[in-house]
Amino acid sequence: MLQKITHTCVGTCSRQIDIEVEDGIIRNVVFTGGCHGNTQGVAALVRGKRIEEVIPVIEDIDCRGKGTSCPDQLAKALRKAL
């Protein structure tokens, strides 16, 4: 079953993350705002992977002492899908 998640980011340059997950596999990730190259790269790297595989790798990454980052916000959004 396809699950769509919209996450409003807190503390990052990206404002929102839209995610499609099917049977625990990340099918698509789109960031709104943020550094376009980096967010595209993160999205491409997680596509096709299992949620449980991705979360521990990207959670708690800090960007410039903000206490969070775009990858960390993605991890928070993916937890909603579990």
Side-chain angles (χ1 to χ4, degrees):
M1 176 172 102
L2 184 66
Q3 182 179 9
K4 294 184 179 189
I5 301 160
T6 297
H7 175 78
T8 302
C9 297
V10 176
T12 61
C13 299
S14 58
R15 297 180 306 277
Q16 180 174 301
I17 309 171
D18 294 300
I19 308 158
E20 292 180 359
V21 175
E22 186 174 26
D23 299 323
I25 308 253
I26 301 163
R27 296 296 179 201
N28 194 36
V29 176
V30 176
F31 286 84
T32 302
C35 177
H36 189 63
N38 285 337
T39 56
Q40 275 189 326
V42 169
L45 287 169
V46 301
R47 195 173 300 120
K49 294 199 167 58
R50 297 199 61 74
I51 293 172
E52 296 88 356
E53 176 185 0
V54 170
I55 291 173
V57 175
I58 63 173
E59 71 182 341
D60 298 326
I61 291 175
D62 182 69
C63 180
R64 299 180 182 163
K66 296 177 184 177
T68 191
S69 64
C70 293
D72 182 55
Q73 289 294 301
L74 176 58
K76 290 177 181 354
L78 290 172
R79 286 204 179 277
K80 295 178 186 177
L82 291 178

